């Protein structure tokens, strides 16, 4: 089989713990470096990149913002790509220069989702 | 790159503002007429086509039904295809002849989602 | 057109009534035996396979657990594949030997979702 390529779509901030766990379990299953993984956040999902904004994890995950960013960084170090939709950042008043350095900003999240699927990435919605 | 093809799936009425904004931003990004876009509603998503039924946007979007239909019409004029699942219309007691003229009714929403993906459409869940 | 292949993804227990109805309507539309259908549950979706655990359908679907399992069995008899993520079963303390006999356990749900899409299955999120 060809190398697996997976694209996770996050459009609600509360879904971050779930997507990070899924990415981690997926890597554990196929082996580090054995798959291409991208996580694209648009809509309210981008708040996960800016916990200081106070908009992420307002519910159950409320106190886990630092833990979430640490896990993102850990996955980034393993090759996972983190992307954010510029339109969504604007709507949520999140400055691009406030984002973690490993976050790639794309002009429009939907375009990124369409392009990656056209490149053979499997789409997984959280 | 080939022409992008995007299929949005809406199965909850409250997701309409989000999907319409995403379609609009996507067109702004790639250019009008540069991509094929279809929005397929099944389940409770079909209520978005029949605001008179009083079942759409019962929460925050409550007063925006007219605005939503106007935005649908605007996107339809730009080539976006709007489709509704016949099974879902029946379950929500929405008469087909009450739908906006630009809405295409398909026998089963899942078949439409499967066929379009087989034709190369990227799938995006709202 | 080639044979349709559809992969449903369920990651919340309350979505089971919806996915089972969608699978049923899909079969009614294309004809029994005319498509490949798999339903993959991960996250809290696996609770749908273990209603005795009391974690499925805690809300509106509360009294329908037996009905849900009967409908799963009925669809399984028609060739629908039911799969469960082993990681999710562990997190929800569901023993594999307590699952209905028609449920296939996969090591990681995300790997299954990626592989099936690579094989041409259309992805549908509930």
């Amino acid at each position: 089989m060809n190398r697996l390529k997976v694209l996770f779509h996050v459009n609600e901030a509360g879904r971050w713990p779930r997507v990070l766990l899924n990415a981690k379990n997926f890597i554990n299953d196929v082996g580090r470096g054995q798959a291409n993984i991208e996580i694209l956040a648009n809509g309210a999902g981008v708040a996960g990149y800016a916990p200081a904004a106070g908009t992420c994890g307002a519910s159950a995950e409320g106190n886990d913002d630092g833990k979430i960013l640490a896990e993102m960084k850990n996955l980034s170090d393993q090759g996972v790509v983190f992307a954010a939709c510029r339109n969504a950042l604007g709507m949520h008043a999140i400055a691009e220069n406030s984002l973690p350095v490993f976050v790639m900003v794309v002009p429009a999240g939907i375009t990124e989702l369409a392009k990656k699927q056209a490149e053979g990435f499997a789409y997984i919605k959280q």
Side-chain angles (χ1 to χ4, degrees), chain A:
Chain A
M1 188 171 59
N2 290 325
R3 184 179 179 83
L4 290 176
K5 294 180 275 191
V6 172
L7 172 67
F8 291 100
H9 178 201
V10 183
N11 62 359
E12 298 181 26
R15 305 286 170 83
W16 276 105
R18 188 194 289 178
V19 69
L20 297 175
L21 178 63
N22 279 343
K24 187 177 165 185
N25 283 338
F26 177 56
I27 292 172
N28 285 343
D29 186 47
V30 298
R32 194 181 286 208
Q34 299 304 305
N36 291 357
I37 305 173
E38 177 167 326
I39 303 178
L40 180 284
N42 72 346
V46 296
Y49 293 137
T55 47
C56 175
S59 59
E61 292 83 28
N63 299 315
D64 291 338
D65 287 346
K67 198 171 151 189
I68 287 174
L69 282 177
E71 182 61 21
M72 286 179 182
K73 173 70 167 56
N74 181 30
L75 288 168
S76 169
D77 290 342
Q78 296 178 54
V80 174
V81 173
F82 288 84
C85 170
R86 180 166 288 142
N87 293 312
L89 291 172
M91 281 191 68
H92 291 81
I94 297 170
E96 292 187 30
N97 62 13
S98 75
L99 297 173
V101 291
F102 55 79
V103 177
M104 169 180 77
V105 177
V106 297
I110 302 300
T111 311
E112 181 73 3
L113 293 173
K115 283 183 178 173
K116 287 293 165 188
Q117 288 186 64
E119 292 172 11
F121 275 71
Y123 172 90
I124 296 175
K125 176 64 164 56
Q126 295 297 316

